[in-house]
Structure formats: C-alpha cells, structure tokens
Amino acid sequence: TNPLDAELVRYLVNCAPSKILFTSRLMPKALEGLVRHHALTGLTPRDAESLARAAGVKGTASFIQDFAALFGSHALVLRVVCGMVNDYPEHPGFFDDWLADPEAGGKLRLEDIEPRHRNAHILEFAIAGLDAKQRQLLARIAVLSDTASYETICVISPYATLVDLHAALKTLGDRGLVQWDQQANTYDLHPAVRGVAFEQLEHSDRAGTYKALRDHFAAMPPEDYKRATELDHLKNSIEVFRLLIGAGMLKEAASHYFGELANSLMYSVGAYGDVVELLEELLHAAGEEPWKALGARPASYVMGGLGIALSHTGEVEKARALEGQTIALDLAEKDWVNLSIEIRNLSMGRGLATGIRGLELSLELAKKAGNASGEAIAHLSLAHAEASCGRYDEAKRLLEKFR
C-alpha cells in the first residue's frame, strides 16, 4: 500500500461514530488488526437464480440454484454459464435442457472435480466451446495486463475484416468472457478469465502477439513521467515493460524500467506495491541467477530497486535479504558506483549513528568511482543526517559542498 493511502485509510477507520465499508480483492496491510474482515463467499441461492433470470435463462429454480452452489455461486462464473446456456443450439436459454445434454452442461460433471478447481474447469470448458479464432482473440487480449482500447484490439485481431472482429467481440461479451465498457469503448478480462485464456495462446503465436503489442504501445506519444501523479498516467509504459518480459526481452525490460519510469513510479506516484509486483515479475523471469540473464549492473539495479520498494511496503526482512545479495554482487563485480548507491539507500533506513557511517562510506565510494552526482547526493544525505543529530555546523559545511 502507498504509505499516504495507508495513512488515509487508517484515519478513516478511526472516524467514529461513522461506519465505513471497504471492498477489496486483497486485504490491505494497513488495515490488518484494525478492522473486522468479512470474506465474501459468493451469491446466495436466490441471488444466483436472479442473476440467471436477468441474463435471460429459463429453467427450474432448484436446478439453477443447486448447480450454482457446486462452484460457490461465483458471479463471474455464473455469467459465463448463462452465456453458454443462451447459446445452446438445441434450446437457447433453457437451463434444464442444457444441463441434461451430455454434450453440453452434462459434460462438465462438476461432482467429479475438486471444489477448488471447479471455477477454472468451467472457464476452460466455456473457452473450449469457442471457435478457433475466437479463442485466439481472447488469448491475445489476455496477454495485456490492463484494459484494452478498441484500437489495441484491432492490432491483435486475427480476423481479416472488422465485421468478423465485431461479431467475435459480441460473442465473447455475450458469453461473459469479455467485459466491454461501452462509454470508454475499452475491453477487459476478469483475472480468472485472463489466467485461463492466456494458457490457450499457442506458443507459436506468443512472440508475434507480444511484438505487435509492444510496437503498438511504443509508437504512442511518450508519457510525461515528470508530471505523473497516478498509475494511469504511466499505463502505456508499464504495459510495454510487461510485454518486453513476456517476449523474453529481459535486458530491454530492465533498461525500459530504470530511469524516468522508475523515478516516477517510486517518487512521484509512490506506487511501491506496484513496483514490487513489476520487479518481482522481472526477477522471476530472469531465474535464480538474474545477473546471467540481465547482466550484473542491471540485476543489481533491479534487486536494489525491489529492496527499496519492499522496505516501503513493510517487507523489511525481504528487503534486507535483497540488499545483502545486491551488495555482494556489486563487490564481486567491483561496481563502486552502484555499491555507493546501495550503501547509501541501506544507510538511510538505519539508526542515525549507523546511517551516518554508511553515508560516509557511500561518499568515499562515489569519490573513488568519480561519480559526481553520487557524491553530491551523499553530501546532501549526510547533511540531513547530521542536522537530525543537532550537529548544525557540520550539516552547514556539508550543504556548502553539495552546492
């Protein structure tokens, strides 16, 4: 959680006598131990039936309710089921007939599937019921980590004509697999659908899809990193980063991330949780020895940046473990510039006495490496630390050096 957001929600929790209801897919760390957590377990039997009726499904109430109960009455999965029932060729919209048909709903045999796997089983069954190009389109959309504009959909369309593409999008929407925001004209997938659909993308089709999407986003007007105040301002740059990872271009992904994008995410937007997610994704792709896939200095940057983000999100032990690995890598490579940066970052999270010694070491290393900007930042950081100890004359002297 962004520390500022965390502070806000903690204030809201204490706004007695008001009562505030938060809904979230994940439990925010900032609220742990402060609130009563109620996990939603799915629709009630009557609500599940009402959802099916609203989707145009007809049938015996007990059949609909009992079937929905088999997968926890998950609303998304039920909408997908309704889409299959409404497209049932022999008797469109009639649930009882669809369920009784051994080649339709009867083929699901949910009783034979472990409860925790039933949602994915239904989604896989629904996707298997699409034709080849509809599956290909859905799988290509699943490559994206966020909503897709109509223009982006056109870039990855497997269809020769827009008429065919539009028909496929309508089918996917009617089946409950694609969510269309008509006002914004964007398309999105529920995370559960995205995960299942992505696995359907043929390996032979993956490289071309990633390349087409990467080129599409890279050709867009550059985002203004310096004025970014929220994630949406960096949406395209983040998408390019993820597409580079998906395409196996890990060095390019690291190069794309570090610099203005990294600074904007960390210091302008304060999206520490998102930085953790992005850099862990890159390190996972790079394997157990990321320096072999990325190169020593890029790997050091990635691990160092991840350590800083983890410390901001309260994952102190994980951050320290990464800091140790990063320093060891810099020492092995005799990368004094990066070692100076890592020690400075590490020192700023320690007690004043330890922190000052660390900053002095960082300054010595920056001088040794001839890193003028690192030397200036070390002087400024030392001045701040000395002032915090009440040694204002020493702080003033260091500020003069910084200037």
Side-chain angles (χ1 to χ4, degrees):
T1 307
N2 183 324
L4 295 177
D5 294 338
E7 187 176 3
L8 173 62
V9 295
R10 281 195 290 265
Y11 277 131
L12 290 174
V13 166
N14 294 313
C15 285
S18 301
K19 303 292 183 185
I20 298 174
L21 176 67
F22 288 92
T23 59
S24 173
R25 195 169 287 155
L26 300 173
M27 176 64 176
K29 286 183 178 293
L31 296 180
E32 288 179 355
L34 300 176
V35 298
R36 186 170 57 197
H37 183 204
H38 177 72
L40 299 177
T41 56
L43 301 171
T44 65
R46 285 196 174 186
D47 285 343
E49 182 193 348
S50 296
L51 188 153
R53 303 286 185 201
V57 171
K58 309 170 189 66
T60 305
S62 60
F63 286 5
I64 296 172
Q65 292 182 19
D66 291 347
F67 183 78
L70 290 173
F71 54 87
S73 299
H74 191 293
L76 165 80
V77 178
L78 184 55
R79 288 192 184 95
V80 172
V81 168
C82 292
M84 290 190 286
V85 174
N86 285 327
D87 276 354
Y88 177 50
E90 281 79 356
H91 208 167
F94 281 81
F95 180 83
D96 298 12
D97 293 352
W98 173 81
L99 186 61
D101 188 338
E103 295 302 317
K107 198 172 185 177
L108 280 166
R109 300 181 64 83
L110 293 182
E111 298 87 348
D112 299 336
I113 306 296
E114 284 188 46
R116 63 193 179 97
H117 295 314
R118 287 175 183 173
N119 288 352
H121 178 65
I122 292 171
L123 294 176
E124 289 168 358
F125 183 80
I127 292 172
L130 302 170
D131 68 36
K133 283 198 172 180
Q134 290 168 349
R135 283 197 302 275
Q136 187 179 32
L137 175 61
L138 184 67
R140 287 180 176 183
I141 296 173
V143 166
L144 295 162
S145 61
D146 207 339
T147 56
S149 66
Y150 173 75
E151 291 75 20
T152 302
I153 297 292
C154 289
V155 168
I156 56 175
S157 170
Y159 294 96
T161 70
L162 289 178
V163 173
D164 291 336
L165 171 61
H166 297 164
L169 288 171
K170 184 177 186 308
T171 297
L172 295 175
D174 291 343
R175 292 286 186 95
L177 296 167
V178 169
Q179 300 163 11
W180 177 41
D181 183 334
Q182 186 173 4
Q183 186 172 358
N185 199 22
T186 57
Y187 297 83
D188 201 3
L189 305 183
H190 186 281
V193 175
R194 192 184 303 279
V196 174
F198 179 77
E199 294 303 318
Q200 305 293 317
L201 187 63
E202 298 287 342
H203 284 282
S204 59
D205 193 30
R206 289 192 181 188
T209 301
Y210 277 112
K211 184 179 185 305
L213 285 168
R214 184 201 68 201
D215 292 347
H216 169 65
F217 283 106
M220 290 182 174
E223 291 166 324
D224 192 340
Y225 295 132
K226 293 181 180 177
R227 295 190 177 184
T229 55
E230 56 188 73
L231 277 176
D232 199 52
H233 297 160
L234 304 170
K235 177 181 173 181
N236 292 345
S237 298
I238 292 171
E239 197 65 67
V240 169
F241 174 77
R242 283 191 154 127
L243 290 167
L244 287 168
I245 294 175
M249 303 173 70
L250 304 185
K251 288 183 179 179
E252 291 83 351
S255 175
H256 172 76
Y257 176 82
F258 282 100
E260 288 189 297
L261 176 58
N263 289 336
S264 188
L265 281 168
M266 286 287 289
Y267 307 116
S268 299
V269 180
Y272 306 118
D274 295 275
V275 170
V276 168
E277 183 181 328
L278 292 170
L279 296 185
E280 283 186 340
E281 187 177 336
L282 177 55
L283 283 178
H284 177 75
E288 293 184 0
E289 299 179 319
W291 46 90
K292 290 184 177 179
L294 302 175
R297 176 166 283 189
S300 176
Y301 280 142
V302 172
M303 293 190 294
L306 178 56
I308 295 171
L310 284 167
S311 65
H312 278 292
T313 59
E315 300 281 352
V316 178
E317 292 306 316
K318 287 178 69 175
R320 285 179 178 172
L322 270 171
E323 287 163 353
Q325 292 176 37
T326 306
I327 289 173
L329 178 59
D330 292 337
L331 283 169
E333 294 294 323
K334 297 183 179 180
D335 187 343
W336 310 126
V337 172
N338 216 35
L339 182 60
S340 169
I341 295 169
E342 292 303 331
I343 290 177
R344 184 179 73 234
N345 291 336
L346 183 62
S347 302
M348 291 170 71
R350 297 293 185 268
L352 285 173
T354 306
I356 287 174
R357 181 64 194 107
L359 290 170
E360 288 172 346
L361 178 57
S362 173
L363 177 58
E364 290 175 28
L365 287 165
K367 288 178 178 178
K368 176 180 175 64
N371 182 13
S373 62
E375 190 177 341
I377 296 171
H379 273 123
L380 183 61
S381 301
L382 265 172
H384 180 270
E386 293 287 2
S388 298
C389 291
R391 295 195 284 265
Y392 300 111
D393 289 342
E394 179 63 14
K396 184 177 180 181
R397 184 185 70 80
L398 288 163
L399 277 176
E400 289 301 324
K401 285 195 171 184
F402 169 73
R403 292 192 181 99

